[in-house]
């Protein structure tokens, strides 16, 4: 996977997740992370403990690249296995994660501690999204898409189109 402008003196972070599909919430977090870090590796998990993803990893990567095409400091790549090992390989010691409503807190807190156990160099930086995205998750996007609901406030048009194709709700003007 090609590296963009990574430079050893820059402050880099990894933003890991499943991004199934990427949403405006993820984009908001990427933009916030870029205020803290010079370089961000958006790392798309190939194998998640969760059920089979809706989109294969290649398509999730493609959508994230489109979402970040104006951002030369963002690299989108796939990874397999533990985030802690991926961070070690890439010699990056900061992880970015999102904290939405309090329901995320316990999970993110324990994940951060486990990652620290696995790789003591790791620090997790949790960022809160802008308010409109506080309750936005890929899971809700998938649910709304499944029933043909309006997705325009949750995901960019090219992601919406892919979801409509997937669930067979494509209108003629979107083909
Ligand atoms: P997971 O890694 O749990 O599969 P996702 O791929 O959906 O979750 O998200 C990756 C990271 O982005 C997680 O830390 C998640 O909390 C965060 N995130 C997702 N959606 C939002 C949002 N709307 N606001 C803030 N953070 C978010």
């Amino acid at each position: 996977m090609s590296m963009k402008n990574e430079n050893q003196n820059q402050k880099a972070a990894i933003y890991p997740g499943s991004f199934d599909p990427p949403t405006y919430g993820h984009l908001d977090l990427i933009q916030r992370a870029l205020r803290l870090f010079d370089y961000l590796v958006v790392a798309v998990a190939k194998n998640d403990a969760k059920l089979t993803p809706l989109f294969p990893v290649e398509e999730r990567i493609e959508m994230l690249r489109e979402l970040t095409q104006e951002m030369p400091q963002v690299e989108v790549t796939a990874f397999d296995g533990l985030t802690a090992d991926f961070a070690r390989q890439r010699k990056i010691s900061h992880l970015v994660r999102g904290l939405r409503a309090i329901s995320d807190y316990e999970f993110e807190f324990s994940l951060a501690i486990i990652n620290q156990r696995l790789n003591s160099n790791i620090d997790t930086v949790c960022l809160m999204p802008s308010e409109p995205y506080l309750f936005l998750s890929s899971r809700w996007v998938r649910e709304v898409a499944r029933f043909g609901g309006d997705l325009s406030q949750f995901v960019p048009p090219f992601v919406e189109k892919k979801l409509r194709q997937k669930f067979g709700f494509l209108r003629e003007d979107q083909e």
Side-chain angles (χ1 to χ4, degrees):
M1 208 62 57
S2 75
M3 284 191 219
K4 282 192 183 168
N5 300 333
E6 192 179 8
N7 171 320
Q8 291 306 324
N9 298 322
Q10 289 183 324
K11 218 51 216 121
I14 295 172
Y15 177 26
S18 14
F19 306 99
D20 187 33
T23 70
Y24 282 139
H26 294 123
L27 177 63
D28 183 81
L29 229 69
I30 290 170
Q31 287 165 334
R32 286 172 187 283
L34 288 178
R35 305 207 288 232
L36 296 172
F37 298 99
D38 306 305
Y39 192 82
L40 189 68
V41 180
V42 177
V44 186
K46 277 191 202 162
N47 291 328
D48 202 292
K50 291 179 207 156
L51 300 172
T52 322
L54 182 62
F55 291 102
V57 70
E58 297 77 22
E59 286 185 47
R60 286 179 271 147
I61 287 178
E62 200 180 292
M63 289 186 271
L64 280 163
R65 291 209 172 127
E66 190 152 352
L67 197 66
T68 59
Q69 64 180 348
E70 307 292 323
M71 304 174 195
Q73 330 85 300
V74 175
E75 172 191 334
V76 182
T77 191
F79 80 106
D80 218 354
L82 294 169
T83 311
D85 291 336
F86 179 68
R88 197 176 283 121
Q89 272 165 28
R90 292 298 302 259
K91 299 188 170 55
I92 293 178
S93 56
H94 288 96
L95 303 182
V96 166
R97 296 284 293 178
L99 271 189
R100 286 162 290 195
I102 32 178
S103 51
D104 275 344
Y105 177 78
E106 203 172 337
F107 179 76
E108 293 297 339
F109 188 60
S110 55
L111 184 64
I113 299 304
I114 294 291
N115 278 324
Q116 226 178 64
R117 282 277 185 105
L118 295 171
N119 174 349
S120 62
N121 290 322
I122 286 187
D123 281 305
T124 301
V125 177
C126 284
L127 298 173
M128 279 70 124
S130 314
E131 216 195 324
Y133 310 125
L134 262 180
F135 294 95
L136 176 55
S137 66
S138 298
R139 183 175 160 241
W140 284 128
V141 167
R142 292 195 300 271
E143 282 298 296
V144 173
R146 195 182 305 281
F147 299 106
D150 178 15
L151 295 163
S152 56
Q153 42 178 329
F154 308 134
V155 298
F158 59 89
V159 174
E160 178 164 10
K161 188 175 166 190
K162 275 198 158 280
L163 283 160
R164 297 210 177 288
Q165 282 167 338
K166 180 96 28 202
F167 290 112
F169 285 106
L170 197 63
R171 293 193 311 260
E172 271 174 26
D173 58 318
Q174 291 176 318
E175 275 168 17

